[in-house]
Every structure is written in structure tokens, then in C-alpha cells.
């Protein structure tokens, strides 16, 4: 259920941050409250852009880039983290430098179109370290997996034994990336 923030009368007693055009998302079981921003202001966008380029910036450097003092900058970044706009901080690795030279896109077809089959499949592939992304897709396949491997024999082994162990998979079509010309990790925030 989504409630406009303006209708929440006791937001201060819950210590919820207020910002423009916000919504409160309450889960069906009311076990958590999450704030979602419809519009990020210019300062938020500056902070996000700077953090995408270098997540190791000090708060002082970040505040300077956004023309803020340290405390308001820290508050904004904390709010962006708490609301899920910033979902984490990661080191970007060159997969070829860590002996993962093969990148595969695998199109997966499930044997049945049920919630139980989808849940079983998603739990199965989430536990596999070589699967670095899993997306539900439209079209003749149900999922698209992004998989890394040391070499072609190790991918073949993974496809036959790890993916093959999932009983709800009825088909796998693999596309091996010959050369990746670029991979953007920075979102175009405007």
C-alpha cells in the first residue's frame, strides 16, 4: 500500500526524513516502512554522480563537490542509503584479471510458468557464485543470466552440473561474449 507522505500525521515521532514529493511504502504485512523519492533534487544528483565515479570520496570532498557543508552532506548520503537509492558500495574488478575470462549470457526457459517454479529457480541461481545477474525477461525465454567462468570447459561443467541440477529448467541457450567493448557501471543521473 502506498500512502502520500502528507497524509502521515505522526512522521516526526517515527523519525522519518521528509523531502519533496515523497511516498511511504508500507508492506502488506506492515513489518517495514520504506521511503521512496519521486524526485531527487540537484544536490542529491550531484552526490550520486560523484559517488558513482568514486565511492571512496571523503565526506569533506563529497560535500565540496555538492557545495554543501559536511553535516548536511552526511545527512543526505545517509538518507539516500536508508531509502535504497544507494544500494551499496563495491569495488569494480576487471574479471579477466581475476581469472574469469569467459562472460556468458544464458537464456533460460522454465518447464512451467508458476510462482513455485520461479522461486525454486531464483533460489538455485542466487546461490551460484558464477551467476552475477539474473533478470526476468519477456519473450520466448523466462530469464537471462549473466555468468562468468574461467574458461569454456568450466562453463560447460557449470551449465551441465550446477544449472542442470535445477529440475525446473527446460532449456538453456548460451551466448558467449567474444569481446566486451565496454561495460558502463555509472547510471546517467539527470
Amino acid at each position: 500500500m502506498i500512502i502520500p507522505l502528507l497524509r502521515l500525521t505522526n512522521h516526526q515521532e517515527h523519525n522519518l526524513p521528509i523531502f519533496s514529493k515523497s511516498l511511504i511504502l508500507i508492506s502488506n504485512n506492515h513489518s517495514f516502512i520504506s521511503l521512496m523519492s519521486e524526485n531527487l533534487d540537484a544536490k542529491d544528483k550531484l552526490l550520486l554522480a560523484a559517488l558513482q565515479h568514486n565511492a571512496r570520496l571523503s565526506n569533506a570532498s563529497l560535500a565540496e563537490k555538492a557545495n554543501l557543508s559536511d553535516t548536511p552532506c552526511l545527512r543526505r548520503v545517509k538518507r539516500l542509503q536508508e531509502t535504497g537509492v544507494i544500494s551499496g558500495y563495491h569495488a569494480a574488478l576487471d574479471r579477466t584479471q581475476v581469472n574469469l575470462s569467459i562472460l556468458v549470457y544464458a537464456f533460460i526457459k522454465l518447464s512451467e510458468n508458476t510462482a513455485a517454479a520461479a522461486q525454486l529457480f531464483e533460489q538455485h541461481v542466487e546461490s551460484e557464485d558464477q551467476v552475477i545477474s539474473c533478470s526476468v525477461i519477456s519473450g520466448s525465454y523466462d530469464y537471462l543470466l549473466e555468468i562468468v567462468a574461467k574458461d569454456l570447459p568450466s562453463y560447460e561443467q557449470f551449465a551441465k552440473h550446477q544449472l542442470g541440477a535445477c529440475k525446473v529448467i527446460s532449456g538453456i541457450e548460451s551466448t558467449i561474449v567474444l569481446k566486451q567493448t565496454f561495460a558502463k557501471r555509472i547510471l546517467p543521473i539527470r
Side-chain angles (χ1 to χ4, degrees), residues 8 23 34 43 54 57 110 123 131 134 151 174 178 184:
L8 183 67
L23 299 174
S34 172
K43 299 285 185 186
N54 183 0
L57 283 173
L110 298 185
Q123 288 173 344
V131 178
C134 174
D151 52 27
S174 300
L178 299 176
K184 292 183 179 179

Side-chain angles (χ1 to χ4, degrees), residues 107-125 134-137 139-145 163 166-173:
F107 296 90
I108 307 295
K109 182 116 179 105
L110 298 185
S111 57
E112 54 188 68
N113 190 12
T114 65
Q119 182 179 12
L120 182 67
F121 172 76
E122 290 171 14
Q123 288 173 344
H124 182 83
V125 296
C134 174
S135 302
V136 176
I137 59 173
S140 58
Y141 291 95
D142 299 305
Y143 288 90
L144 174 64
L145 301 180
L163 287 181
C166 186
K167 301 300 182 201
V168 296
I169 295 177
S170 69
I172 302 170
E173 183 176 316

